[in-house]
């Protein structure tokens, strides 16, 4: 239960910071690094479904734990959205359209690549015995200013902040696939 609580808390802190900072890459990278350092020894400090699914693909966590982590992360992000909305007098949650919205032709591919870059940085830090907080933070500093979302938990939670479920699921699936592909590439390149 402790693992799920810290995954929800870390993801919530990330969502809270991302919204209040208007997507400032340095603020997001900083809160991620802080959360990974503070909670990583309890849960692994995933705070992102694409990272959780890559860790499952690598067999570092069970499928059931991956599902539990993913639910906890989305719950944490949704609670953070609700808190920001309450503080901003915007109501609690604003459900989006299920099938509405449009998505750019290359958005899914771009998010797949960006998520792969995030996971390549993470696995590189793991392999080189460096703190993953460094790799994750640096990836966010580079990728967020370029317009990438890269966090599947926050992507899905955006449905409760008025986002289109259809669009968000396409992006989320792309992010998860990118993370798993990066894990497979890393395993193939560095398998002993």
């Amino acid at each position: 239960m402790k693992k799920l609580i810290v995954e929800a808390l870390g993801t919530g802190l990330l969502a809270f910071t991302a919204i209040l900072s208007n997507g400032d890459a340095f603020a997001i990278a900083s809160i991620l690094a802080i959360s990974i350092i503070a909670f990583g020894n309890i849960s692994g400090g995933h705070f992102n479904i694409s990272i959780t699914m890559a860790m499952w693909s690598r067999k570092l966590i069970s499928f059931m734990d991956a599902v539990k982590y993913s639910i906890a992360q989305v719950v944490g992000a949704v609670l953070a959205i609700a808190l920001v909305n309450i503080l901003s007098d915007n109501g609690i949650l604003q459900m989006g359209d299920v099938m509405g919205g449009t998505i750019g032709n290359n958005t899914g591919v771009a998010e797949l690549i960006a998520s792969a870059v995030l996971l390549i940085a993470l696995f590189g830090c793991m392999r080189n015995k460096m703190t993953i907080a460094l790799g994750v933070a640096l990836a966010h500093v580079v990728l967020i200013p370029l317009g990438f979302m890269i966090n599947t938990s926050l992507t899905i939670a955006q449905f409760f902040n008025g986002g289109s479920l259809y669009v968000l699921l396409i992006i989320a699936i792309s992010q998860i696939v990118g993370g798993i592909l990066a894990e497979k590439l890393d395993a193939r390149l560095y398998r002993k």
Side-chain angles (χ1 to χ4, degrees):
M1 186 57 114
K2 239 192 309 190
K3 292 178 180 184
L4 301 179
I5 291 169
V6 299
E7 282 296 316
L9 181 59
T11 310
L13 288 170
L14 171 61
F16 189 79
T17 302
I19 295 167
L20 288 181
S21 73
N22 291 315
D24 179 81
F26 184 74
I28 292 168
S30 298
I31 198 66
L32 266 171
I34 291 166
S35 296
I36 291 167
I37 291 165
F39 304 126
N41 62 339
I42 297 171
S43 69
H46 300 180
F47 315 126
N48 183 338
I49 294 171
S50 62
I51 291 174
T52 296
M53 296 311 291
M55 295 302 169
W56 165 72
S57 179
R58 183 151 288 190
K59 298 182 180 16
L60 295 175
I61 63 172
S62 71
F63 180 74
M64 282 311 299
D65 281 346
V67 170
K68 291 175 189 175
Y69 272 39
S70 299
I71 292 169
Q73 292 162 5
V74 172
V75 167
V78 169
L79 291 174
I81 289 168
L83 180 59
V84 170
N85 286 343
I86 289 168
L87 294 173
S88 305
D89 293 326
N90 290 334
I92 295 177
L93 296 174
Q94 303 162 13
M95 303 285 275
D97 289 334
V98 173
M99 293 304 293
T102 59
I103 187 165
N105 291 338
N106 299 319
T107 302
V109 173
E111 285 291 334
L112 183 146
I113 293 168
S115 291
V117 169
L118 170 64
L119 269 295
I120 288 167
L122 183 146
F123 286 124
C125 286
M126 288 173 63
R127 190 176 43 264
N128 292 303
K129 300 191 182 350
M130 299 169 65
T131 177
I132 62 169
L134 175 64
V136 170
L138 287 174
H140 280 75
V141 167
V142 170
L143 295 170
I144 289 174
L146 297 174
F148 297 109
M149 295 174 76
I150 64 175
N151 188 299
T152 310
S153 307
L154 273 58
T155 298
I156 293 170
Q158 284 301 314
F159 172 68
F160 299 97
N161 203 24
S164 163
L165 185 61
Y166 165 74
V167 170
L168 296 172
L169 286 178
I170 289 172
I171 293 169
I173 290 166
S174 299
Q175 293 165 339
I176 291 167
V177 170
I180 291 172
L181 288 175
E183 185 280 323
K184 297 298 182 197
L185 175 65
D186 184 81
R188 182 167 291 271
L189 290 174
Y190 295 100
R191 187 173 291 144
K192 295 184 179 191

